[in-house]
């Protein structure tokens, strides 16, 4: 009888457990597969991470093949071969393009070859850009925490856009927010330094049609507002070091993404917030990678900034 398996993407899920004795569950180790994650904006560039999957029960370090041959095509026309970025100590190795300039509406295909594995491939089409129409950021309160020298900020973030008219297909988005921090430096304190930090939303906002992304923002499916002008509102609580800088504004980025982007990262987020794997109800990771797992996906995006009121 074939048993279902859950694979873990290195860096996306960590499992720790304590027990009084070793328990043999009688489970066979599945064969490793290539795990490929590569997303790219309209205009490029493309970066791709390649790892080997492992069972959720395996106790092994992450393996990064450094001898992968990765080729990129546009409508079956060869574009370029990705180059391995020299891995730095403690950093994740990745492959990248040098001259790639993608366009919306074109199909791009990736081929990944690693010795000992079947060739993995995936294709994606970048959706047309949807424009952000309005953006607002309101500060509710700022509380200093003398014990740990931090400040806790509470905000309400709002953004609005027009979902394309119903066209008998779903539209998907990744709405991100970046906090703008400013501080002065220099001898006279007359040099303004700006920093932008991705705002991670709480998973409490999750519904059937929106999921907080673990690296920031929210993934959206347009079923509840198809073809409408949509206002979205999110509560945000941030605890920042006191000397980091003064929050002055928020930049919103609306990514128009294909279904594979939405489904893959939605599943990854749900897997990350489930602390009971491997014994809980499994989260099946969506993949558009043939002979592998992961996601290859392009996206278009629009930006809009607002001062904090």
């Amino acid at each position: 009888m074939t048993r279902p398996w859950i694979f873990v993407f290195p860096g996306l899920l960590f499992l720790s457990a304590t027990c009084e004795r070793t328990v043999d569950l009688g489970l066979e180790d599945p064969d490793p597969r290539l795990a490929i994650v590569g997303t790219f904006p309209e205009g490029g560039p493309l970066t791709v991470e390649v790892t080997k999957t492992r069972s959720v029960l395996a106790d092994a370090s992450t393996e990064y093949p450094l001898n992968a041959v990765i080729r990129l095509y546009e409508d079956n026309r060869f574009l370029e071969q990705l180059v391995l970025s020299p891995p730095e100590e403690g950093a994740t190795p990745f492959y990248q393009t040098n001259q790639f300039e993608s366009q919306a509406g074109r199909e791009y295909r990736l081929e990944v070859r690693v010795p000992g594995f079947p060739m993995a491939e995936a294709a994606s089409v970048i959706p047309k850009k949807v424009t952000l129409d309005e953006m607002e950021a309101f500060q509710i309160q700022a509380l200093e925490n003398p014990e740990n020298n931090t400040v806790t900020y509470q905000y309400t973030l709002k953004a609005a856009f027009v979902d394309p008219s119903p066209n008998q297909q779903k539209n998907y988005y990744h709405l991100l927010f970046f906090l703008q921090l400013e501080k002065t430096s220099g001898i006279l304190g007359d040099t303004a330094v700006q920093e932008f930090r991705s705002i991670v939303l709480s998973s409490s906002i999750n519904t059937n049609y929106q999921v907080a992304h673990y690296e920031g923002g929210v993934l959206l499916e347009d079923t509840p507002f198809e073809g409408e002008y949509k206002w979205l509102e999110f509560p945000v609580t941030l605890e920042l070091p006191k000397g980091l800088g003064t929050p002055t504004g928020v930049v919103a980025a609306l990514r128009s993404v294909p279904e594979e982007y939405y489904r893959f990262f939605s599943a990854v987020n749900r897997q990350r917030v489930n602390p009971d794997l491997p014994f809980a109800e499994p989260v099946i990771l969506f993949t558009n990678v043939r002979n592998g797992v992961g996601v290859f996906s392009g996206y278009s995006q629009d930006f809009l900034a607002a001062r904090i009121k």
Side-chain angles (χ1 to χ4, degrees):
M1 178 178 179
T2 302
R3 297 184 178 92
W5 287 95
I6 302 172
F7 288 99
V8 174
F9 277 86
L12 298 184
L13 179 66
F14 297 91
L15 173 67
S16 62
T18 58
C19 57
E20 296 181 358
R21 61 186 180 86
T22 301
V23 178
D24 184 4
L25 299 178
L27 300 178
E28 300 175 358
D29 288 333
D31 293 331
R33 304 171 69 187
L34 291 179
I36 298 164
V37 177
T39 60
F40 56 97
E42 183 178 8
L46 166 64
T47 60
V48 175
E49 293 184 7
V50 181
T51 58
K52 297 179 182 180
T53 62
R54 57 184 174 84
S55 167
V56 72
L57 298 178
D59 182 15
S61 59
T62 303
E63 293 187 60
Y64 299 97
L66 303 181
N67 58 346
V69 176
I70 305 178
R71 295 167 63 89
L72 180 65
Y73 297 82
E74 177 185 334
D75 297 327
N76 291 321
R77 177 176 61 89
F78 173 72
L79 293 180
E80 65 176 292
Q81 181 169 314
L82 278 67
V83 178
L84 176 66
S85 177
E88 300 179 1
E89 184 177 357
T92 301
F94 63 89
Y95 296 80
Q96 61 184 347
T97 55
N98 289 322
Q99 302 175 341
F100 180 46
E101 296 182 1
S102 58
Q103 298 179 41
R106 304 284 183 88
E107 182 180 77
Y108 297 96
R109 182 169 57 86
L110 198 70
E111 291 182 354
V112 181
R113 290 180 170 86
V114 174
F117 292 85
M119 184 188 75
E121 61 180 343
S124 182
V125 177
I126 301 176
K128 292 183 179 180
K129 180 172 68 177
V130 174
T131 303
L132 269 171
D133 292 314
E134 298 185 67
M135 165 65 192
E136 295 181 332
F138 300 93
Q139 179 172 301
I140 307 302
Q141 65 177 4
L143 299 176
E144 293 191 13
N145 309 309
E147 296 82 4
N148 55 7
N149 201 31
T150 62
V151 181
T152 300
Y153 298 93
Q154 290 186 343
Y155 300 105
T156 296
L157 304 181
K158 298 182 178 181
F161 61 91
V162 178
D163 184 67
S165 299
N167 51 8
Q168 296 184 342
Q169 68 178 25
K170 301 295 183 185
N171 294 312
Y172 303 91
Y173 305 96
H174 184 184
L175 177 61
L176 301 101
F177 297 102
F178 301 91
L179 183 68
Q180 179 181 358
L181 296 160
E182 293 185 1
K183 62 181 177 180
T184 57
S185 63
I187 298 177
L188 300 178
D190 56 355
T191 303
V193 179
Q194 292 187 350
E195 178 184 349
F196 293 89
R197 290 202 166 194
S198 179
I199 297 176
V200 178
L201 303 177
S202 168
S203 60
S204 63
I205 69 169
N206 290 0
T207 69
N208 289 336
Y209 304 107
Q210 70 177 33
V211 180
H213 193 289
Y214 61 93
E215 288 187 338
V218 58
L219 300 161
L220 302 165
E221 179 187 329
D222 74 343
T223 296
F225 54 89
E226 187 175 13
E228 299 177 359
Y229 187 84
K230 180 62 177 178
W231 266 105
L232 294 161
E233 180 177 327
F234 303 101
V236 174
T237 300
L238 302 173
E239 184 177 2
L240 303 175
K242 191 173 181 180
L244 189 63
T246 302
T248 58
V250 176
V251 176
L254 180 64
R255 293 182 179 180
S256 299
V257 303
E259 182 180 6
E260 58 263 21
Y261 183 112
Y262 173 85
R263 292 184 62 185
F264 174 80
F265 286 109
S266 295
V268 168
N269 185 80
R270 291 190 171 98
Q271 186 186 70
R272 287 174 60 88
V273 300
N274 189 339
D276 298 320
L277 282 171
F279 305 107
E281 185 73 18
V283 177
I284 305 301
L285 282 179
F286 171 86
T287 178
N288 70 331
V289 178
R290 182 173 173 268
N291 291 328
V293 293
V295 66
F296 172 68
S297 173
Y299 58 86
S300 58
Q301 60 185 344
D302 188 47
F303 296 92
L304 195 59
R307 303 293 290 182
I308 296 176
K309 299 177 182 179

